[in-house]
Amino acid sequence: MPYQWLKRSRRKLSGGLIRRAASKKKRDMGRYPAETQIGSRVLKPIRTRGGNVKYRTLVEEHANVIDQSTGISQKVKILNVLENKANREYARRRIITKGCVLETEIGKAIVTSRPGQHGNINCVLIERKEE
């Protein structure tokens, strides 16, 4: 699979080519998004700069939800992705990113962590489900 590069385009607005001043460097390399989905947990370790490790959450079925009114956090099952401001197609495909609204067992929650970077899903409860 080809890499993504975090450098400017080689094309000018007029369509002409810009000649490269320096060759590609590993530090300029980007990666493809994790596109976390709902299902039984799958983590993918990624070696990062300096030999450190990040964990990409590829698939997850639980989220850590905190209720700010009581200060209690709990691990709950994710039922659905209701809306995703990053890309409305992501809500249809049930892809979880930071800022998306999830339907959980206890109510609606907004994601505050970055599943593709942190290896888990942390949420804040915004609307409790009526029982």
Side-chain angles (χ1 to χ4, degrees), residues 18-33:
I18 298 172
R19 298 246 171 126
R20 203 180 296 216
S23 62
K24 290 180 178 180
K25 303 283 190 281
K26 187 166 173 70
R27 66 171 182 249
D28 300 323
M29 192 174 79
R31 290 197 176 95
Y32 290 95

Side-chain angles (χ1 to χ4, degrees), residues 4-26:
Q4 284 190 331
W5 294 95
L6 302 176
K7 295 200 109 183
R8 72 176 183 190
S9 171
R10 289 191 58 218
R11 292 276 175 190
K12 297 189 242 180
L13 287 174
S14 64
L17 273 177
I18 298 172
R19 298 246 171 126
R20 203 180 296 216
S23 62
K24 290 180 178 180
K25 303 283 190 281
K26 187 166 173 70

Side-chain angles (χ1 to χ4, degrees), residues 2-124:
Y3 294 108
Q4 284 190 331
W5 294 95
L6 302 176
K7 295 200 109 183
R8 72 176 183 190
S9 171
R10 289 191 58 218
R11 292 276 175 190
K12 297 189 242 180
L13 287 174
S14 64
L17 273 177
I18 298 172
R19 298 246 171 126
R20 203 180 296 216
S23 62
K24 290 180 178 180
K25 303 283 190 281
K26 187 166 173 70
R27 66 171 182 249
D28 300 323
M29 192 174 79
R31 290 197 176 95
Y32 290 95
E35 296 192 343
T36 306
Q37 296 181 327
I38 301 170
S40 58
R41 186 172 202 187
V42 177
L43 291 180
K44 180 181 179 185
I46 301 282
R47 185 195 178 273
T48 60
R49 196 164 166 145
N52 298 309
V53 179
K54 271 184 202 177
Y55 290 95
R56 290 267 155 102
T57 307
L58 300 180
V59 187
E60 181 65 273
E61 63 184 340
H62 292 96
N64 303 316
V65 179
I66 187 163
D67 185 355
Q68 289 184 317
S69 63
T70 61
I72 297 171
S73 72
Q74 53 189 322
K75 185 175 180 180
V76 296
K77 191 171 176 111
I78 300 169
L79 302 176
N80 199 5
V81 177
L82 298 176
E83 103 182 61
N84 195 325
K85 291 193 176 155
N87 184 343
R88 73 177 157 193
E89 187 65 32
Y90 280 2
R92 294 182 197 140
R93 290 168 53 195
R94 298 173 67 190
I95 291 176
I96 303 167
T97 59
K98 181 178 178 179
C100 80
V101 178
L102 300 177
E103 181 186 355
T104 65
E105 291 176 327
I106 60 171
K108 288 184 185 179
I110 192 162
V111 178
T112 56
S113 65
R114 297 174 68 191
Q117 305 273 340
H118 298 162
N120 61 10
I121 299 175
N122 297 326
C123 304
V124 174

